[in-house]
Amino acid sequence: MRARFTSFGPAVRLLMVNQFGINLGFYMLVPYLADHLSGRLGLAVWLTGLLLGLRNLSQQGMFPIGGTLCDRYGYKPLIMAGCALRTVGFALFGVSTSVPALIVASVLTGLAGALFNPAVRAYIAVEAGERKVEAFALFNVFYQAGILAGPLVGVLLIAVDFRLACLAASVVFAILTLLQARRLPSRRGTAQGTGRPVPADWKEVLANRPFVAFSAAMFVSYALSYQVYLGLPLELGRAGGGQAAIAVMYTFTALLAVAGQVRLTAFASRRWRPEQAIARGLAVMGAAFVPVLLASQFAPQPERLPYGLGAAPAVLSAILLTTAGMLIFPFEMAMISTLGRPELTGTYYGLYNAFSGVGILLGNLASGWAIDVGAAHGVPALPWLLLLAAGLASAYAIRRLDRAGRLRPAPPPGRLSEEPVS
């Protein structure tokens, strides 16, 4: 893996290290934020939910703005601005006890992600060129390594003082800001200097039929993958696993991604086209819920099983979900830039991230509803059946689009396509 890493240019290598730092700082604080707000500060649960929701809303809602800004003003300024805002936002969480200040901290940390997230992905896509898939596979290794290390560091710091964890996370982002300023090469935005109105760019992206079709087909994949934070932890709780089982699940899946991402991508690249790899990954993502589906039917009281066996189906489902995400992610990220016009690379990533945020929101509502209804009516398999069906439907949609030739790049504006895209 070291040879693969050094084979990329300095900008791509720095962005990978940067992503490790971003996730390290984020996950050493955010997983414990709800407990701090509702426990240590004594805020009402609804207010805690509001603050966490504001962070997510300000990030997901501003993704298109962040993508457009990086196209027009360059990637480096947006990455630096995002890291600087996280520095301020996380420091505010450590020193604030008033609700208005906590609201500012939540919005700043969310806005930060909206600035650097599309910029980092667009920069890698442009810089890596034909090696986009390989670059994003290695990028995900650093991404998952940050997720693995962050909570472990955070829990040690919080055992001393929550404010220490906030300060440490803030320092991480301050270091990243300085690192980007000194070492990240400046690169002009792909639409820099244009006088075209921003709404015209968004209209062009939304009129790109292959991109919209791909986004629609991938919509539910984010609802499925997010079940490692919603449905599966709830299932582990039902099985009597507690926080220890949840920690084991997160640690094991992160280790799996770090150890296996590059090998799995190389395996898939040799055998399948990107569209085929994505479709197969979506099918695995749906099938990942079969273990908990079967357990809900044949082991309705998992807490009574010996040696923690009741938690095994949820952990197995998490492993399959992670494997599916590893298969999909590099090809998915490369596909976004392939389907879009190069001049609007950041805009495409920004809008795609916004679509995925909506998918997570609606997916959480649907899966949460199904969990409640299933429990109330004695049908615990209901949420897993719906998630299984959604994954298979998404895989089928990608396969149909691929066979119909509807996942080919759209022609540049102003030119007629040689083949009509229906």
Side-chain angles (χ1 to χ4, degrees):
M1 190 171 72
R2 182 178 180 182
R4 291 179 185 270
F5 177 71
T6 57
S7 69
F8 287 99
V12 174
R13 296 200 305 269
L14 181 58
L15 290 171
M16 291 177 182
V17 174
N18 180 68
Q19 190 61 48
F20 169 79
I22 286 173
N23 280 10
L24 172 67
F26 183 85
Y27 284 96
M28 66 195 293
L29 177 60
V30 171
Y32 311 106
L33 191 55
D35 180 67
H36 169 71
L37 295 174
S38 61
R40 292 178 176 86
L41 297 187
L43 299 183
V45 174
W46 71 266
L47 187 52
T48 298
L50 174 64
L51 290 169
L52 297 179
L54 283 174
R55 189 209 66 79
N56 189 64
L57 178 63
S58 61
Q59 178 165 313
Q60 302 293 346
M62 292 297 290
F63 269 136
I65 299 291
T68 296
L69 288 176
C70 76
D71 283 338
R72 294 183 176 233
Y73 298 103
Y75 307 120
K76 180 175 177 176
L78 272 294
I79 296 171
M80 288 177 54
C83 289
L85 285 180
R86 278 273 167 93
T87 301
V88 176
F90 282 171
L92 273 177
F93 275 125
V95 301
S96 302
T97 56
S98 69
V99 172
L102 292 170
I103 288 175
V104 172
S106 297
V107 171
L108 286 181
T109 55
L111 179 58
L115 294 181
F116 62 62
N117 201 313
V120 167
R121 285 156 175 75
Y123 199 152
I124 289 177
V126 172
E127 193 73 18
E130 296 299 318
R131 298 180 66 194
K132 287 193 289 285
V133 170
E134 187 180 354
F136 279 116
L138 198 54
F139 174 83
N140 198 39
V141 172
F142 283 84
Y143 188 98
Q144 295 294 334
I147 293 177
L148 175 63
L152 299 178
V153 175
V155 74
L156 294 176
L157 295 174
I158 288 172
V160 179
D161 192 331
F162 183 83
R163 290 172 296 182
L164 180 61
C166 294
L167 176 61
S170 181
V171 168
V172 168
F173 278 96
I175 293 172
L176 291 176
T177 305
L178 295 174
L179 185 63
Q180 312 310 311
R182 296 190 62 181
R183 297 295 182 87
L184 185 64
S186 295
R187 188 180 183 105
R188 284 176 57 86
T190 46
Q192 197 160 336
T194 182
R196 188 183 190 193
V198 168
D201 290 346
W202 294 352
K203 183 177 179 181
E204 178 185 325
V205 173
L206 295 175
N208 184 330
R209 292 183 181 180
F211 171 75
V212 172
F214 179 70
S215 301
M218 295 297 295
F219 190 79
V220 300
S221 70
Y222 286 88
L224 301 185
S225 62
Y226 203 81
Q227 296 310 307
V228 296
Y229 303 107
L230 180 64
L232 295 181
L234 291 176
E235 184 67 12
L236 285 173
R238 189 177 76 88
Q243 293 297 319
I246 295 173
V248 168
M249 179 183 74
Y250 288 149
T251 300
F252 193 85
T253 53
L255 284 172
L256 176 65
V258 170
Q261 176 68 73
V262 173
R263 293 183 180 87
L264 180 59
T265 301
F267 173 87
S269 297
R270 289 193 300 267
R271 287 163 175 79
W272 305 317
R273 292 181 294 105
E275 298 86 347
Q276 293 173 321
I278 292 171
R280 285 169 169 81
L282 290 169
V284 174
M285 192 169 277
F289 297 100
V290 170
V292 286
L293 170 61
L294 295 176
S296 67
Q297 287 296 106
F298 299 107
Q301 295 180 310
E303 69 280 0
R304 295 188 176 182
L305 295 177
Y307 310 115
L309 291 178
V315 173
L316 178 57
S317 289
I319 291 171
L320 291 173
L321 266 180
T322 300
T323 303
M326 291 161 56
L327 179 56
I328 293 168
F329 179 80
F331 298 101
E332 175 191 13
M333 291 294 104
M335 179 73 72
I336 296 165
S337 67
T338 299
L339 293 175
R341 185 159 63 94
E343 291 79 5
L344 297 179
T345 300
T347 303
Y348 273 93
Y349 278 106
L351 284 167
Y352 189 84
N353 284 335
F355 292 153
S356 68
V358 175
I360 290 172
L361 174 62
L362 296 180
N364 283 352
L365 291 174
S367 58
W369 170 84
I371 290 171
D372 287 339
V373 171
H377 293 83
V379 190
L382 178 62
W384 317 123
L385 279 171
L386 291 178
L387 293 165
L388 168 62
L392 297 180
S394 186
Y396 178 72
I398 289 290
R399 184 180 179 187
R400 285 290 303 271
L401 290 170
D402 180 30
R403 288 185 171 183
R406 295 181 62 187
L407 294 180
R408 299 171 186 170
R415 285 176 49 187
L416 294 176
S417 173
E418 295 178 1
E419 293 184 10
V421 180
S422 59

